[in-house]
Amino acid sequence: MVKCNERQLNRTFAALADPTRRGILEHLTQGDRCVTDLARPYAMSLPAVSKHLRVLENAGLIRRRRRGRVHSLKLEAAPMRQASQWMEEYRRFWEGSLDRLDAYLKKLQGREKKYDHKK
C-alpha cells in the first residue's frame, strides 16, 4: 500500500470535492494567477472566493506569493500526486479482484455447459 499522510489525503479530497475549487485549480494549470483573475469567472464575492482559496492552500494544492498588494497563486502538484498514487493502488486492487471474479465465473459457466451436454 502507498504510504500517505491520512490527514493530507483527507484535505486533498475535501478540497477537490467542490466544483469551484476544481475550476480554480484548472485555471492555475495555465500558470500563476492573481486572486481577482481567479475570481472573475465565478458569480460570487471576492471573500467567498478567498474562502475557497484558503481551503486549497490548507490542502497544499496551491501556494500564495505576495508582491506588494498583489497575491499570486501557483498550483502545487505534490498533494495531487499522492492522491493519484493512493487511487492507483486501489484501482489495481479492484481490477485484480474483478479479473479473478471474471475468471471464476467463466470457469463456472464452462462447467455448466459440460453438465448440460451430458444430460
Side-chain angles (χ1 to χ4, degrees):
M1 274 301 178
V2 173
K3 297 281 185 186
C4 288
N5 179 324
E6 187 174 329
R7 188 178 207 180
Q8 176 63 48
L9 197 60
N10 289 343
R11 285 181 181 167
T12 299
F13 283 123
L16 295 174
D18 185 85
T20 300
R21 292 192 286 267
R22 290 191 307 269
I24 290 169
L25 292 175
E26 185 176 336
H27 283 92
L28 288 171
T29 62
Q30 299 166 9
D32 297 3
R33 298 279 187 265
C34 67
V35 174
T36 54
D37 286 346
L38 291 171
R40 195 169 290 123
Y42 303 101
M44 63 179 72
S45 67
L46 200 54
V49 171
S50 291
K51 285 182 182 180
H52 284 292
L53 294 174
R54 275 194 298 280
V55 171
L56 291 168
E57 282 182 279
N58 288 337
L61 292 165
I62 62 173
R63 185 176 51 189
R64 184 184 303 251
R65 286 190 300 224
R66 283 181 160 173
R67 291 189 186 121
R69 291 178 40 186
V70 177
H71 292 236
S72 180
L73 296 147
K74 176 184 176 121
L75 186 63
E76 290 292 326
M80 283 276 228
R81 199 174 307 120
Q82 288 176 348
S84 178
Q85 289 170 345
W86 183 86
M87 288 187 297
E88 179 63 19
E89 186 82 25
Y90 281 93
R91 183 195 62 78
R92 283 194 305 265
F93 168 78
W94 283 109
E95 279 184 359
S97 295
L98 293 173
D99 287 346
R100 287 188 300 278
L101 177 60
D102 184 51
Y104 176 73
L105 292 174
K106 285 180 181 174
K107 184 178 176 181
L108 286 179
Q109 287 173 341
R111 287 182 186 169
E112 286 178 4
K113 287 180 184 176
K114 286 180 185 178
Y115 180 75
D116 287 344
H117 288 302
K118 290 181 180 180
K119 282 186 177 180

